[in-house]
């Protein structure tokens, strides 16, 4: 093993990068190396914040509209149908993180969204009368 330098850094208000000087190893810049950082937003974050919310908004709107139109029996199917694309989206998000080598982040997505989707779907499918008053 060889010490390769510090990986902790911060961005200043003027856009320049600064590494922490008190770390025990020389920084890449101090060793004459270039520091390159990708500031693009990962597609998984966009999918989680924009696409998932759009799916939920469309599902809840359609379920509300079915109730307002006197077709309450359709709300259960609409809500279960809403969670299927959301679950697929979260599975794709976790797979994307895993393929990029970010296994810990992929596991955190599975841990965060897997049980939530399973409990929501099972509760809605089998205990609808207790969930929706």
């Amino acid at each position: 093993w060889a010490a390769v330098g510090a990986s902790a850094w911060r961005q200043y208000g003027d856009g320049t990068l600064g590494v922490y000087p008190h770390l025990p190893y020389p920084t890449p810049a101090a060793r004459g190396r270039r520091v390159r950082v990708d500031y693009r937003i990962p597609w998984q974050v966009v999918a989680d914040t924009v696409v998932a919310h759009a799916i939920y908004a469309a599902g809840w709107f359609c379920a509300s509209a079915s109730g307002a139109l006197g077709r309450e029996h359709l709300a259960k199917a609409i809500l279960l149908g809403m969670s299927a694309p959301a679950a697929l989206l979260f599975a794709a998000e976790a797979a994307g993180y895993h393929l990029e080598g970010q296994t810990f982040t992929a596991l955190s997505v599975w841990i965060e969204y897997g049980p939530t989707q399973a409990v929501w779907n099972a509760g809605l499918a089998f205990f609808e009368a207790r969930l929706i008053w």
Side-chain angles (χ1 to χ4, degrees):
W1 292 93
V4 295
S7 60
W9 55 273
R10 63 180 168 235
Q11 182 180 13
Y12 296 112
D14 61 357
T16 58
L17 292 178
V19 291
Y20 293 100
H22 60 280
L23 294 173
Y25 301 110
T27 63
R31 290 182 286 122
R33 303 283 187 225
R34 187 183 328 182
V35 178
R36 294 174 24 174
V37 180
D38 187 4
Y39 286 118
R40 294 178 293 180
I41 299 174
W43 68 266
Q44 295 93 337
V45 174
V46 175
D48 190 21
T49 57
V50 177
V51 179
H53 285 100
I55 291 172
Y56 286 136
W60 285 109
F61 175 77
C62 290
S64 300
S66 70
L69 295 173
R71 298 177 184 251
E72 297 86 4
H73 60 282
L74 295 177
K76 178 179 175 180
I78 290 171
L79 292 176
L80 283 172
M82 166 191 73
S83 65
L88 289 175
L89 178 70
F90 298 139
E93 181 181 336
Y97 278 128
H98 182 69
L99 291 174
E100 291 175 358
Q102 300 179 29
T103 307
F104 180 77
T105 308
L107 288 174
S108 69
V109 170
W110 282 116
I111 290 170
E112 181 179 355
Y113 294 117
T116 304
Q117 292 293 320
V119 168
W120 168 255
N121 291 334
L124 188 61
F126 301 113
F127 304 105
E128 175 190 2
R130 294 185 182 155
L131 289 176
I132 301 175
W133 304 332

